[in-house]
């Protein structure tokens, strides 16, 4: 993905991360080196049910730590959202909406004065959120019922007792999940997160969700920058949201040996995996020349961006040096400087042995090259 020569300006920020409900709080945490990792609260994951220090234990995670958000409350009434819609919708929708509103306010816009006709919304997200996977259990009641009846029929229990137990079991089982209604499908889909924001702000420049795993929010920003550069829209809300610290993700990462059972060591030969986290962040973007003309405060300027994939060089989840080199080279195609001139580089830093090694090898190979701006094949 290449850009024209016109740079893109970031004019607004919004975030809700563990220990940081705004960009100012996040920056204060960074300067103070505050670490937000903690033992996963029981209300999010009862470790007594899912934890086992044996990394090979079936259906268990050996990780106990995470960076967890708390305190988020969506004021559905004040936002004019019907209560039934609010209850039937995954929290990632409301977290994304509230954070997007924070970003546009930071950019100097009001909801009523928002230039919505040519504004796009691009959101990075994977798996929607853990609420959706939980809510879907309600619709699995027929399977649970059959399992219960099969076990009950093997016991010395009368038919009347089985019927009474089945009725009580069903009531308890379904009571913790909202009933399925006309809002449930849209509220449980990842692709409607961007649509939720577009609907609330009446944005008409396009809105969609990008799922590129760990690169989802970064690709959302790159896609927004490309669209602005091509003139597809005049303003963009781009970001990412993730609230997925449930057994599917934690146990899945554990079986891939991606999580650490101890501390997280980034770019370190002691690396043993990462500690998962969650949150939401948005930026408001527009073409640099127009940001200058409109007198916007500019946080950052994007001069280039690039994407690639690893092709067939590695397994589907393993990183690859050649693929990362290609993405970085493409990002510098239309800049008048190269990676070797930078004062610092912010990396991914997964804390995994393979991920960190590949990233450092890619950067090292590029900083030693003299012809980084040559067009790759």
């Amino acid at each position: 993905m290449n850009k024209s020569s016109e740079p893109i300006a970031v004019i607004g920020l919004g975030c809700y991360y563990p220990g940081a409900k705004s960009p100012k709080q996040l920056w204060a945490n960074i300067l103070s080196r505050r670490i937000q990792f903690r033992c996963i609260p029981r209300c999010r994951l009862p470790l007594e049910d899912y934890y086992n220090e044996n990394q090979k234990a079936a259906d268990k995670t050996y990780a106990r730590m995470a960076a967890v958000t708390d305190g988020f409350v969506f004021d559905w009434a004040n936002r004019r959202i019907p209560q039934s819609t609010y209850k039937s919708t995954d929290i990632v929708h409301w977290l994304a909406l509230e954070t997007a509103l924070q970003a546009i306010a930071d950019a100097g816009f009001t909801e009523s004065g928002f230039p919505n006709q040519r504004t796009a919304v691009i959101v990075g997200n994977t798996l929607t959120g853990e609420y959706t996977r939980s809510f879907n259990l309600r619709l699995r009641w027929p399977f649970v019922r059959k399992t219960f009846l099969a076990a009950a029929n093997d016991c010395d229990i009368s038919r009347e007792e089985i019927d009474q137990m089945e009725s009580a079991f069903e009531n308890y089982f379904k009571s913790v999940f909202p009933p399925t209604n006309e809002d449930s499908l849209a509220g449980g889909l990842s692709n409607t997160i961007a649509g939720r924001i577009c609907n609330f702000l009446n944005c008409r420049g396009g809105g969609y969700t990008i799922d590129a795993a760990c690169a989802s929010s970064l690709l959302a920003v790159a896609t927004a920058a490309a669209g602005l550069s091509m003139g597809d829209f005049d303003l963009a809300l781009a970001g990412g949201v993730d609230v997925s610290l449930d057994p599917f993700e934690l146990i899945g990462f554990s079986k891939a040996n991606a999580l650490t059972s101890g501390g997280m060591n980034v770019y370190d030969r002691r690396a043993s995996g990462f500690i998962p986290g969650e949150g939401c962040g948005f930026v408001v973007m527009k073409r640099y020349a127009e940001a200058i003309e409109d007198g916007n405060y500019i946080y950052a300027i994007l001069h280039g961006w690039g994407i690639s994939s690893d092709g067939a060089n590695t397994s589907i989840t393993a990183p690859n040096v050649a693929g990362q080199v290609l993405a970085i080279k493409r990002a510098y195609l239309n800049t008048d400087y190269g990676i070797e001139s930078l004062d610092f580089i912010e990396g991914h830093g997964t804390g995994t042995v393979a991920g960190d090694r590949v990233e450092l090898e890619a950067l090292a190979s590029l900083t030693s090259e003299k012809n980084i701006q040559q067009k790759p094949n």
Side-chain angles (χ1 to χ4, degrees):
M1 181 186 295
N2 298 332
K3 63 184 274 302
S4 69
S5 58
E6 184 172 14
I8 303 300
V10 175
I11 63 170
L13 302 174
C15 73
Y16 198 107
Y17 295 124
K21 300 178 182 179
S22 69
K24 288 184 178 180
Q25 286 185 324
L26 177 62
W27 186 238
N29 288 346
I30 292 171
L31 295 179
S32 302
R33 298 185 179 183
R34 295 193 182 107
I35 296 175
Q36 301 298 330
F37 299 132
R38 55 176 166 145
C39 188
I40 301 174
R42 192 180 186 282
C43 62
R44 294 295 303 276
L45 187 78
L47 289 173
E48 66 269 22
D49 295 331
Y50 291 103
Y51 173 79
N52 193 309
E53 63 181 10
N54 179 2
Q55 297 188 9
K56 295 183 179 181
D59 303 327
K60 302 290 183 178
T61 177
Y62 54 83
R64 302 172 63 93
M65 306 289 286
V68 182
T69 59
D70 53 20
F72 174 71
V73 177
F74 182 72
D75 189 355
W76 55 270
N78 189 49
R79 295 297 187 192
R80 306 180 303 281
I81 303 295
Q83 186 179 31
S84 60
T85 301
Y86 165 69
K87 289 185 175 181
S88 300
T89 301
D90 196 296
I91 195 172
V92 299
H93 284 243
W94 310 124
L95 181 58
L97 174 58
E98 201 64 35
T99 307
L101 294 175
Q102 181 190 139
I104 66 170
D106 183 64
F109 298 114
T110 62
E111 293 177 31
S112 59
F114 191 61
N116 50 21
Q117 292 302 306
R118 286 180 54 80
T119 295
V121 179
I122 305 172
V123 182
N125 175 262
T126 298
L127 298 174
T128 309
E130 62 188 50
Y131 281 51
T132 293
R133 293 192 287 279
S134 176
F135 290 173
N136 286 341
L137 290 176
R138 180 186 177 98
L139 301 182
R140 300 300 181 185
W141 166 247
F143 172 79
V144 175
R145 175 180 178 273
K146 290 176 182 178
T147 304
F148 164 74
L149 291 177
N153 288 331
D154 286 341
C155 301
D156 186 18
I157 306 175
S158 69
R159 184 70 242 180
E160 182 180 0
E161 289 176 314
I162 292 177
D163 290 343
Q164 290 177 349
M165 292 174 63
E166 178 191 340
S167 178
F169 188 9
E170 181 176 6
N171 289 335
Y172 277 114
F173 182 82
K174 292 184 176 180
S175 66
V176 296
F177 309 117
T180 304
N181 59 27
E182 65 275 12
D183 296 308
S184 299
L185 180 60
L189 295 175
S190 174
N191 56 34
T192 50
I193 300 173
R196 184 83 55 186
I197 299 170
C198 289
N199 178 267
F200 189 87
L201 291 171
N202 194 28
C203 294
R204 297 181 178 273
Y208 49 93
T209 300
I210 288 177
D211 182 356
C214 299
S216 296
S217 58
L218 188 61
L219 189 57
V221 171
T223 303
L228 287 164
S229 183
M230 293 294 291
D232 295 336
F233 36 83
D234 297 331
L235 195 72
L237 267 167
V241 61
D242 180 50
V243 181
S244 296
L245 298 177
D246 70 351
F248 177 70
E249 184 164 301
L250 293 176
I251 294 174
F253 276 127
S254 295
K255 298 314 170 190
N257 293 316
L259 301 182
T260 178
S261 58
M264 186 172 174
N265 300 295
V266 178
Y267 304 129
D268 193 305
R269 53 173 59 100
R270 296 171 299 170
S272 58
F274 70 90
I275 300 176
E278 61 186 7
C280 182
F282 270 90
V283 293
V284 181
M285 305 162 61
K286 69 191 305 184
R287 288 178 285 273
Y288 175 72
E290 294 171 13
I292 292 294
E293 182 180 346
D294 295 340
N296 298 122
Y297 181 84
I298 297 175
Y299 286 99
I301 304 171
L302 280 68
H303 291 282
W305 48 89
I307 63 173
S308 70
S309 59
D310 293 325
N313 293 322
T314 57
S315 70
I316 196 170
T317 58
N320 176 268
V321 173
Q324 294 196 16
V325 166
L326 186 59
I328 299 171
K329 279 188 172 182
R330 287 171 175 169
Y332 285 91
L333 285 178
N334 290 293
T335 64
D336 57 1
Y337 56 89
I339 192 173
E340 73 283 349
S341 66
L342 300 184
D343 294 321
F344 71 91
I345 298 171
E346 181 179 351
H348 190 185
T350 63
T352 62
V353 174
D356 286 359
R357 178 185 293 119
V358 164
E359 188 175 5
L360 290 176
E361 288 179 359
L363 291 170
S365 68
L366 286 168
T367 53
S368 64
E369 288 186 15
K370 295 181 179 179
N371 301 312
I372 189 172
Q373 296 190 54
Q374 288 184 349
K375 189 171 183 178
N377 295 328

